[in-house]
Structure formats: structure tokens, C-alpha cells
Amino acid sequence: MHKIIIIGIFLFTSILSAQTEIDENKYYAKTETIFLDSKVFDTIRELQVYLPQEYFTKPNQSFKVLYLFDSQNQRIFNYVRGNIEFLSMNEIEPLIIVGVVTYDRWNEFLTPNNHKETLETYQPPMGSADLLIEHIQNEIEPYLKNNYRTEDYRLAIGHSLGATFVTYATMKTENLFDYSILISPNYFYDQEKFVDRFKEFSESKLKKTKKFYFSNGYEDDYEKKFSGPLLNVIEILKYSNNPNIKWDFEKLNIDNHGLTWLEGVYKGLLSWN
């Protein structure tokens, strides 16, 4: 009887092992669509979560997380995913991507305006960036930690107003984000108040190192408008002696605001390495 039980256990273990064995010729990386019941926004919110090949082939390894904003655009998500898949072959470490689907860019990415003239360009509803931060910290982060093997390190990619939000979240919170890729950031908003915020931020005492990669293009009307405030921020950082602020800036060879993603993503990732 004991022999039968032992044989049964051995067979069961063998079958289980065979089922979980990794086929080196198979590509396991995948993207999952997640719907969170958000109490912060009082609605269902969508995420796109990409798990790299190594997540499945190295089951004891944890991974850093990259937040990608504007992931309602599937082409942008796919482009960033492709860059990370390719670069992680030998340039950067594999990452989990969390694509945050944005429903109202002005409302979710912007802080409340201080100047009434701003309303000539941006109309309400707007200015709820703090809600998006709360959603990330209190709803997305707990979900990630409970369901995936994540390290305590966060990257973020934002473009235009998405970069404005990533900047604000990095300044406002201690843990979001460690490394920020800011492509064509809009610091022109609300009479360039983010230039002043950078001045205050550069003089603050930070417990963690914050690293920024800034990039922008040229010619295009948006790039021209956003270039001046961005260069003012770069000047502030040049003269900052804050040991916990690291940064890099590149002028991209792109004359279209909507296309600065193309160089900004991979150059920002390489700058992180």
C-alpha cells in the first residue's frame, strides 16, 4: 500500500514538473488587459500589463516596473514594448510595462491652474493630476505587488502633457518615479509654473535619487512653444548642486511634436542604462 502511494506521488510530481517545464524555443512574453474597479475615479480603469520573456523563464526573479502613459493608444504601447523587448536583449534589463489608459488628458495630467488666462487654452474639466497619483499609489501599486513579482523601482515615460504629469508626480511623491523619460514636456502650461517648481525641487532635500531624461524636437509649433520653458529648466539643473538629482538632455532630430516618441523612447531607455 505504501509503495502504491509513493509511486502515485512520484508520478504526480513528474507530470506537474513536465507541465511547468520551459521550452527554450517558445516565446512566452505577453500583454494582459486588466480592469480595476477604481474607488478614486469611481469607474472601471484599464491597464495594459506587459510581462517579458524572462518573467516566465526566470521564475525566481523580480522585475522593475515602467509606467507608460497614454496607453489608450495601442500603437504607442506596442512601440514602447518593442523597444524594450529589443533593447533588453543586451542593452537594458527586462522590464514589466504598466500601460495606463488615459480617459481625459487635460483632467488627469494637469494640475489646477493658477492663472485665469490658462482657461483660454485649457477648458474644464481639468486639473485632477492628484487623483491620478492617488489611483497609482493606492490602487495600481497594490494590485501589481499582489499579482506580479516586482522590484521596488519605478520608471515612467510621458510625452507632452503626459511628461508634465510624470514631472509633477516625481516632484510630489517620494516613490514615483525613480527614472523619468520626459519627451517634449509641456512646461509652458499655466505661465510656465513648472519652471518655478523645478527651482524649488532642485533645492529640496531628497531621500532618494531622482533621474530625468529630457528630450524635444524642433520646427513644429508645439516644439517651439515648449522649447523655451524646457531650456529654462535645463539651466536651473545645470547650476543645481543637489546630489540626488541626475539628468540628461538631448535635442532630437525630429520636426514633428507627435513623432518625438520615435527617438525619445529608445534614447531615454539607453540613457537609463
Side-chain angles (χ1 to χ4, degrees):
M1 182 66 178
H2 291 296
K3 291 182 179 180
I4 294 174
I5 293 174
I6 291 171
I7 292 171
I9 293 174
F10 175 77
L11 289 174
F12 176 77
T13 303
S14 299
I15 292 170
L16 185 62
S17 176
Q19 289 176 339
T20 58
E21 185 177 344
I22 297 298
D23 181 354
E24 293 181 359
N25 296 315
K26 182 177 178 180
Y27 194 60
Y28 293 92
K30 67 177 182 177
T31 298
E32 301 175 340
T33 300
I34 307 298
F35 295 96
L36 294 182
D37 185 3
S38 172
K39 301 298 187 293
V40 174
F41 284 103
D42 193 27
T43 188
I44 303 297
R45 300 277 300 191
E46 181 180 344
L47 302 175
Q48 297 289 326
V49 178
Y50 161 74
L51 301 174
Q53 170 78 352
E54 292 78 3
Y55 190 88
F56 302 95
T57 59
K58 299 179 180 179
N60 295 320
Q61 181 176 331
S62 295
F63 296 82
K64 294 180 175 66
V65 173
L66 181 143
Y67 277 86
L68 172 62
F69 295 90
D70 277 322
S71 287
Q72 68 281 3
N73 188 322
Q74 192 66 46
R75 292 178 177 87
I76 289 174
F77 183 89
N78 291 343
Y79 179 71
V80 173
R81 169 182 167 164
N83 273 268
I84 289 174
E85 284 182 298
F86 182 75
L87 292 175
S88 66
M89 291 172 64
N90 45 37
E91 293 293 335
I92 65 172
E93 62 188 89
L95 297 168
I96 292 175
I97 304 173
V98 176
V100 180
V101 171
T102 306
Y103 297 87
D104 187 330
R105 300 183 84 246
W106 288 358
N107 196 33
E108 295 178 31
F109 288 161
L110 293 175
T111 57
N113 61 294
N114 296 329
H115 304 278
K116 64 180 181 181
E117 293 82 2
T118 300
L119 297 176
E120 296 174 7
T121 303
Y122 303 93
Q123 293 81 39
M126 56 178 281
S128 296
D130 284 329
L131 286 182
L132 184 53
I133 291 175
E134 184 181 352
H135 173 55
I136 294 170
Q137 290 185 312
N138 298 339
E139 296 178 332
I140 297 179
E141 277 295 311
Y143 179 84
L144 295 178
K145 290 173 182 177
N146 288 333
N147 291 277
Y148 302 104
R149 305 190 310 275
T150 62
E151 287 187 31
D152 187 21
Y153 187 98
R154 301 292 179 263
L155 302 86
I157 296 179
H159 174 270
S160 196
L161 287 181
T164 310
F165 170 77
V166 171
T167 301
Y168 176 63
T170 302
M171 292 177 171
K172 185 178 175 64
T173 69
E174 190 172 308
N175 296 319
L176 295 177
F177 297 100
D178 299 282
Y179 180 60
S180 301
I181 297 175
L182 307 166
I183 307 169
S184 300
N186 177 357
Y187 298 147
F188 186 84
Y189 171 69
D190 204 29
Q191 298 189 18
E192 302 184 13
K193 71 178 181 183
F194 275 92
V195 177
D196 295 329
R197 283 183 178 272
F198 261 105
K199 177 66 174 175
E200 297 173 5
F201 182 71
S202 68
E203 297 171 352
S204 62
K205 293 182 179 180
L206 302 174
K207 295 180 180 179
K208 294 180 65 176
T209 297
K210 301 283 188 175
K211 186 176 180 182
F212 301 90
Y213 171 83
F214 304 92
S215 64
N216 72 336
Y218 66 98
E219 289 292 334
D220 174 293
D221 287 344
Y222 283 111
E223 294 301 311
K224 288 179 180 178
K225 181 190 290 188
F226 299 162
S227 181
L230 174 57
L231 293 178
N232 289 337
V233 167
I234 299 304
E235 282 301 305
I236 289 170
L237 295 176
K238 279 182 181 178
Y239 294 100
S240 170
N241 295 317
N242 196 318
N244 284 325
I245 297 178
K246 310 295 182 184
W247 62 277
D248 194 9
F249 169 63
E250 285 192 76
K251 194 73 175 178
L252 307 176
N253 189 31
I254 293 181
D255 61 359
N256 184 310
H257 179 66
L259 296 181
T260 51
W261 284 99
L262 297 177
E263 285 188 17
V265 170
Y266 75 82
K267 289 187 173 181
L269 290 168
L270 289 175
S271 181
W272 171 54
N273 191 29

